[in-house]
Every structure is written in structure tokens, then in C-alpha cells.
Amino acid sequence: MNRKQWHGWGPEQAEQHYLIEPRALAGGGPTRHISEFLRASGWRDKSKTGLLHMESPDRTLRVAYDPHTIPGGWTIHGRAAGANGEWSAHLGLQTPVEIVAGLTDALTQPRSAHAPNVWAPLQEQHWHTRFEGQHYTATSPDGTAWLQYHQSPDGSTMWWTGAKDQQDNGWTANLTSTTPLHLVQAFATELAGPEPAMRPRGRVPHSAQIRTRSISVTPSQLSAWQQARITAARAATWARNSARTTRQRAGTRPASSTVGARTRR
């Protein structure tokens, strides 16, 4: 079959899409960008009709998306042993999935040996950082997006972030102060990412603050891009599981050695 044919029904038709900058104002996007990556990383899919609910293999992490409640959006929850083990993040409906994925993808990956620096990826993209009273804030060069370490008068703290245009369209999110810093850094990296987000025709927000560029994309191209992301998740999961199995085998004392030791006593 000719590669340009689509399901045997003639030439594949390209569809109009738009590249949107800044990505923080691109709108929500397809939730499968999140769910398919997590599923390929070995997470359990406990979703119901209209609701997304994913759970990590060890059941310590949950990612949910609910568009029906008020205010609706993403809820990410984690728990670990020890003090301050509980943490959560709540991201609005219009948070671009590319930015949400900065946080959710990082949930599947081992923590770096380097100390995290939340502000570094923002400063690399020329965000303006400053103290505002007791808060520390970073703002994008165009002023549409921000990340703030917020401290209330009662001493409570949290991460507050979002993006808004001049008509107040956009999204906000908050992460508890106990959210692991490497996850906040991963989120900040995608928040400030210079790459545009792609949306199909009819899914482009009405905003004077965005810049768009029209492109033609075939369904097979879209599928290939998503499949590459899934394949990468599966490969990383396989590598981690293989390394874990190797460590476990290396740490297991052979039965013959045990018998020999007992014999020599």
C-alpha cells in the first residue's frame, strides 16, 4: 500500500494546525498527552467516563483530571514516608498539557543527584526574578506568566503560578510547599519553555497576547509524534526495571554459598 494512503481510502488529508506562542497561553490541549505517557510508564489507568485517573505502580502517586467540577482541572497528589510526605498540586482547566507534563513526566523518572534549582530554568529564559514583600516571584519577559513562592501572613507557604492575558483569560495553579523541588523545577522548565504549543483549528484561544503560525499536519504525523513519546516512556521504564532486577539479583546471596558457609562451620 502506498504510504500516502490513509486506511485504504485514498490520499491522506493534511489538517490545519497552529503553532502558538507563548505556550503558556495555548489552552489545555489533549489529556492523552499525559495519560498515554503514564500508561506507557507502567501506571494503572483507573479512569471513568469523562474523568481521568492514573495511579503509580506503588500507589503513592495519583494524577486526575476532572473537567466537570468547579473550578475543575488537574489534581496531582503524592505521599511518601516521613515528615511532610504528603504533597499536592492543583492546575486549572486551561493549563497547557505540555506544561502539566513537565510535572507528571517527572513523576516517572528517578530523581537527579544534583540539588534542584527551581529558578534556574526561568532565569535561562530571561524571566525577571525579584522579591515582592515576603514572596519571591519570577515573571516571563512578556509579563503573561509567573511563578511565585508565596508566603502568607500566618506563615503558611505555597507555590503559586499561572498565565493570564490582558482580558484575564488563562489559568492558575498552586502546589503545596512540600512538593518535591525537583518536580517544581521540572514544571518550571516547561512553563518557561520557548517551544510553541500546537493546537488544531478551532482550539486556538482568542487572545491578543498570542502569536500563531499555521501549519499543515497529517494524521499519521500526529500519530508518529505521539508514538515517539510513548516509545520513549516504555524504553525508560524497561531500563529502570532491568536495572532494578539486576541490583536485586546482585544483592541476593547464592544458595550454594549459603550451604558452603554452613558446611564449613
Side-chain angles (χ1 to χ4, degrees), residues 10-244:
E12 184 179 7
Q13 298 296 316
E15 301 170 351
Q16 189 174 22
H17 284 67
Y18 292 88
L19 297 178
I20 303 173
E21 298 177 279
R23 69 189 316 187
L25 292 176
T31 58
R32 66 178 181 275
H33 185 78
I34 307 294
S35 61
E36 291 184 0
F37 186 92
L38 294 177
R39 193 179 301 115
S41 300
W43 284 45
R44 299 180 180 89
D45 189 344
K46 305 176 71 175
S47 303
K48 298 180 181 179
T49 304
L51 304 175
L52 185 151
H53 185 185
M54 307 292 295
E55 187 177 70
S56 64
D58 62 2
R59 299 183 179 181
T60 63
L61 300 164
R62 298 195 308 272
V63 173
Y65 176 79
D66 186 348
H68 306 300
T69 58
I70 298 176
W74 297 90
T75 300
I76 304 165
H77 181 263
R79 58 181 174 83
N84 299 323
E86 298 277 341
W87 64 270
S88 63
H90 303 275
L91 304 96
L93 283 170
Q94 295 304 313
T95 311
V97 291
E98 296 86 353
I99 296 176
V100 178
L103 176 56
T104 56
D105 287 8
L107 296 175
T108 71
Q109 299 160 3
R111 192 177 299 197
S112 171
H114 300 288
N117 183 343
V118 172
W119 309 106
L122 305 175
Q123 293 167 338
E124 288 172 5
Q125 297 302 323
H126 310 293
W127 282 42
H128 176 52
T129 55
R130 63 199 180 278
F131 279 101
E132 294 181 333
Q134 293 184 316
H135 317 313
Y136 192 74
T137 305
T139 307
S140 62
D142 63 4
T144 59
W146 72 90
L147 175 65
Q148 180 181 89
Y149 188 71
H150 184 92
Q151 183 166 324
S152 300
D154 63 2
S156 61
T157 57
M158 70 172 183
W159 296 97
W160 181 54
T161 181
K164 296 279 188 178
D165 65 10
Q166 293 178 358
Q167 292 73 43
D168 207 35
N169 300 313
W171 56 275
T172 60
N174 62 77
L175 298 79
T176 58
S177 59
T178 52
T179 304
L181 288 181
H182 74 286
L183 299 179
V184 183
Q185 179 181 358
F187 174 86
T189 299
E190 294 304 321
L191 176 66
E195 302 84 4
M198 188 173 67
R199 297 291 182 266
R201 183 172 58 181
R203 298 289 183 180
V204 180
H206 298 287
S207 174
Q209 271 65 59
I210 66 172
R211 303 178 300 279
T212 63
R213 179 163 62 90
S214 175
I215 60 171
S216 294
V217 182
T218 63
S220 61
Q221 286 177 316
L222 290 174
S223 178
W225 293 335
Q226 183 66 11
Q227 188 58 46
R229 178 170 158 79
I230 293 171
T231 299
R234 287 174 177 163
T237 302
W238 181 87
R240 286 194 299 272
N241 291 341
S242 296
R244 186 180 302 114

